Amino acid sequence: MDAQSRGRADEIDPADQWVINPRTGNYELRLADSAAQARPKVTAPRRSPSAPSTPTAPSPGVPRPRRGDPPPGGRRGGRSRKGAGAGGGGRRKKALAVTGGVTAFLLVGGAVAGYLYYDHLNGNLSVTDVAGAGTGGFKKDQAINILVIGTDKRTGAGNEDYGDKDSVGHADTTILFHVSKDRTNATALSIPRDLIANIPACPTKQPDGSTKTIAPSKGTRFNTSLGQEGRDAGCTMRTVKELTGIEVDHFMMADFNAVKTLSTAVGGVPVCLEKAVNDEEGSHLKLDAGEHRLQGEQALAFVRTRHGFGNNSDLDRIRIQQQFLGSMMREMKSKETLTSPKKFLSLAEAATKSLGVDSGIGSIGKLTDLAGELKGIDTKNITFTTLPVLDNPAEPEGKKATVVVDHALADPLLQMIRGDVSLTEVEKKEQAAKEAADADTKAKQDALLQGARAAAADVRVSIYNGGGPKGSASTTLNWLQNSKGVQKASNVGNAPEKVGATQLEYAPNQADQARALADIMGLPATALKVGTADASAKTPMKLTLGPDFQQPGAPLSAPVPQQLPEDVQRSQADKATCAK
């Protein structure tokens, strides 16, 4: 019989429900026989040797433990588990590396790794059907783009005191979190709320199951892409795509309560101020110069203040938010938050209760899959940046309230994100070393274009759209067949995955066909990818049109830059800075 049926549950240490599996070396939740049939077996992360074995209250719906089972932190009586430190550091580092770019995403990415299996947590999530916005789901071996939205809707106890209590909310804080294809680095792109943008037509799901299309709006503030006129997060996803050219896979949305509960769950977030702040007009933040640990209402006031730092603009507030989020990542890692069962459960509850997601990741299982894709990212390879903007020239001097995109700086930044180029200096140095070791690469590429050309009628090629404009593959097929005599071309449709730039893949014995098609299409040597094995006589080459493709016959757009302009704002998640 278990402790509950004996009426002595209060005497049982809740940690006793975890037992070690000698086969895997991991701790697992041991349930009563009836409960075991209802719930799957779950594996808990190993505890760090230095982590305290503080008892944790069992979560709702979790059965009481059986007496005699050893706790995760060691057996009762002070005897530690033998070999507890072996390999623990590597696993802990791996779990902590999940940290992402914004509060909701960060906590879900970490907490999901071990404790978000509880059935009741699924009920905490707020799920929205975005009516076809985005890609429909992230994929392995492809870059992942997640839009994290902080809404200023005044929901939750005490939040009505911030004013505008009846507002349906706006996209108050928006960060596009781009995770690289190889999962080694990430870029967190902040989009200013006061940016003038075009909001496209937006189909939205209604409570009765029908779909209502909200009319487009041109030349309006970006933050109205959410909440206003009934727009949901899918409208913000569509607006970001039109603005940046980047397809969004999923969204995560958090309100005021997320900042308060999550900052409290991690035990406070350290911040540093170069000068004292007293924001009596807006957030009511009042702090002396120096270091502070913020949680709850103070943490919310810190990330919301627009009158405490810099020139009191939203752009300065964005920098403060980025500093706060970077500090939260470092705090989780330094305090071993993700290896403490008590803190882990607290984070799981806080994250799911304050989180809204799209139906593509609208369950704990799907969030777990997403976390598995992100677990290898180190904070040193996470870069915060902001979409470059200028004061709106349509507004009179002295009354500037909105901004417009600074294309001179924004275009190369967006090209790099679309091309999956890392912004971190660590990655840059590694890339430079690789290029230095491969100094003859360009000469080899140029050599690919030297040699005989096949007749157009002999060129066999399958055409894929891997990120070019809609209908590119069909348009190119018609152009090749009707204008260039390439009759053996075929349109395959969308590529299995998007590419950073247009490329032509061919076998060594198809080199003459590749040169001929490169001449016809105007492809540079860098677009040619030669394989190692010859192809059969009727096997076609593979032409994948990328985001640099405009239309057949037109030269490809400029190659993806590898270095950002110096004036683009950026910061690294692993480096602490003081707010100015």
Side-chain angles (χ1 to χ4, degrees):
M1 297 177 67
D2 61 21
Q4 277 186 315
S5 61
R6 290 197 300 267
R8 301 176 59 189
D10 291 341
E11 301 176 11
I12 301 300
D13 182 345
D16 284 354
Q17 61 189 310
W18 295 97
V19 296
I20 192 169
N21 184 330
R23 183 169 56 84
T24 65
N26 291 327
Y27 279 97
E28 298 173 355
L29 182 66
R30 175 174 291 178
L31 307 175
D33 293 341
S34 59
Q37 295 174 7
R39 292 180 182 275
K41 181 176 72 175
V42 205
T43 300
R46 292 192 181 185
R47 187 190 299 276
S48 163
S50 61
S53 56
T54 304
T56 60
S59 188
V62 179
R64 293 283 183 174
R66 290 189 282 195
R67 182 179 292 278
D69 294 339
R75 307 185 71 88
R76 268 179 272 193
R79 292 165 57 191
S80 62
R81 176 169 57 89
K82 184 178 180 180
R91 281 185 292 276
R92 182 167 64 253
K93 181 178 180 182
K94 202 168 188 180
L96 295 171
V98 175
T99 51
V102 296
T103 308
F105 185 60
L106 165 68
L107 270 300
V108 170
V112 143
Y115 283 91
L116 293 188
Y117 56 84
Y118 290 112
D119 291 341
H120 74 279
L121 293 183
N122 271 317
N124 288 347
L125 293 170
S126 174
V127 182
T128 299
D129 183 344
V130 293
T135 62
F138 72 89
K139 297 179 177 62
K140 292 181 179 293
D141 303 319
Q142 292 188 30
I144 301 174
N145 295 303
I146 300 174
L147 192 66
V148 188
I149 307 169
T151 175
D152 58 0
K153 186 176 182 180
R154 271 67 168 166
T155 53
N159 292 327
E160 66 276 1
D161 294 339
Y162 288 96
D164 198 15
K165 66 178 182 179
D166 297 322
S167 171
V168 294
H170 304 77
D172 191 57
T173 298
T174 305
I175 299 181
L176 179 61
F177 198 82
H178 171 85
V179 181
S180 67
K181 177 180 177 179
D182 62 9
R183 308 295 189 257
T184 63
N185 63 89
T187 298
L189 175 70
S190 294
I191 301 175
R193 55 166 288 159
D194 296 323
L195 174 68
I196 295 299
N198 295 327
I199 302 175
C202 180
T204 59
K205 287 287 186 179
Q206 304 299 301
D208 62 1
S210 63
T211 299
K212 175 184 177 182
T213 298
I214 301 172
S217 180
K218 292 188 176 182
T220 188
R221 272 183 166 90
F222 172 83
N223 70 342
T224 61
S225 64
L226 177 71
Q228 310 307 300
E229 300 182 38
R231 296 187 179 102
D232 61 13
C235 301
T236 309
M237 294 170 71
R238 289 181 168 91
T239 304
V240 168
K241 179 184 177 182
E242 180 159 315
L243 181 66
T244 66
I246 299 169
E247 188 88 62
V248 181
D249 297 300
H250 300 288
F251 85 84
M252 292 183 178
M253 184 163 61
D255 57 17
F256 284 2
N257 278 345
V259 179
K260 294 195 290 187
T261 59
L262 294 175
S263 61
T264 301
V266 298
V269 177
V271 300
C272 172
L273 280 67
E274 286 196 357
K275 63 177 183 178
V277 173
N278 186 9
D279 180 8
E280 295 180 343
E281 298 180 47
S283 70
H284 306 293
L285 177 69
K286 186 175 182 179
L287 293 172
D288 295 330
E291 297 181 356
H292 302 269
R293 181 174 291 273
L294 306 182
Q295 61 182 351
E297 293 290 348
Q298 265 197 324
L300 179 60
F302 182 81
V303 299
R304 281 193 52 74
T305 182
R306 295 182 68 169
H307 305 284
F309 305 101
N311 60 5
N312 300 335
S313 72
D314 184 55
L315 298 180
D316 287 302
R317 185 176 70 157
I318 286 174
R319 293 186 180 93
I320 295 302
Q321 291 171 346
Q322 293 174 349
Q323 292 173 13
F324 182 86
L325 295 168
S327 181
M328 180 175 277
M329 296 177 194
R330 297 189 299 274
E331 181 68 6
M332 291 178 64
K333 184 173 182 178
S334 65
K335 289 300 181 66
E336 299 180 337
T337 303
L338 301 183
T339 60
S340 165
K342 183 176 182 180
K343 288 185 178 181
F344 217 172
L345 283 171
S346 178
L347 289 172
E349 286 286 349
T352 54
K353 284 181 178 178
S354 58
L355 185 67
V357 297
D358 62 279
S359 53
I361 50 174
S363 71
I364 301 306
K366 292 175 181 177
L367 286 171
T368 301
D369 292 340
L370 176 59
E373 291 295 302
L374 311 180
K375 63 185 178 182
I377 304 175
D378 197 307
T379 53
K380 69 181 181 182
N381 286 333
I382 299 175
T383 302
F384 289 106
T385 187
T386 304
L387 185 69
V389 294
L390 299 167
D391 286 339
N392 187 354
E395 294 177 336
E397 290 297 329
K399 295 184 178 181
K400 302 281 187 185
T402 59
V403 293
V404 296
V405 174
D406 180 354
H407 287 283
L409 298 180
D411 289 352
L413 169 60
L414 294 176
Q415 277 186 289
M416 292 178 73
I417 296 175
R418 289 193 297 265
D420 202 27
V421 177
S422 172
L423 304 188
T424 66
E425 292 304 317
V426 173
E427 293 287 319
K428 293 293 180 194
K429 291 176 182 177
E430 293 175 356
Q431 180 65 24
K434 181 179 179 181
E435 290 176 356
D438 234 357
D440 63 338
T441 297
K442 188 177 185 304
K444 291 179 179 178
Q445 289 175 332
D446 290 341
L448 296 176
L449 293 177
Q450 306 302 315
R453 268 71 171 161
D458 295 329
V459 172
R460 293 180 181 271
V461 61
S462 295
I463 307 167
Y464 298 79
N465 190 341
K470 188 175 181 180
S472 295
S474 176
T475 301
T476 300
L477 173 66
N478 292 335
W479 181 76
L480 287 174
Q481 290 183 336
N482 298 328
S483 301
K484 299 299 177 181
V486 184
Q487 298 299 322
K488 296 176 182 177
S490 61
N491 173 14
V492 184
N494 289 332
E497 61 182 49
K498 293 183 178 180
V499 294
T502 299
Q503 62 185 35
L504 175 63
E505 300 175 64
Y506 64 98
N509 62 335
Q510 296 173 321
D512 57 341
Q513 296 183 49
R515 297 185 194 107
L517 188 61
D519 290 346
I520 294 170
M521 294 285 299
L523 302 178
T526 53
L528 274 58
K529 311 293 180 184
V530 61
T532 57
D534 285 345
S536 63
K538 293 187 178 181
T539 299
M541 298 181 293
K542 181 179 178 181
L543 174 65
T544 305
L545 306 175
D548 55 344
F549 179 83
Q550 302 301 316
Q551 62 182 19
L556 299 179
S557 59
V560 176
Q562 300 298 306
Q563 199 73 31
L564 272 180
E566 288 297 323
D567 292 336
V568 174
Q569 177 266 331
R570 81 201 82 171
S571 61
Q572 301 302 129
D574 66 322
K575 296 178 181 178
T577 57
C578 288
K580 300 179 181 180

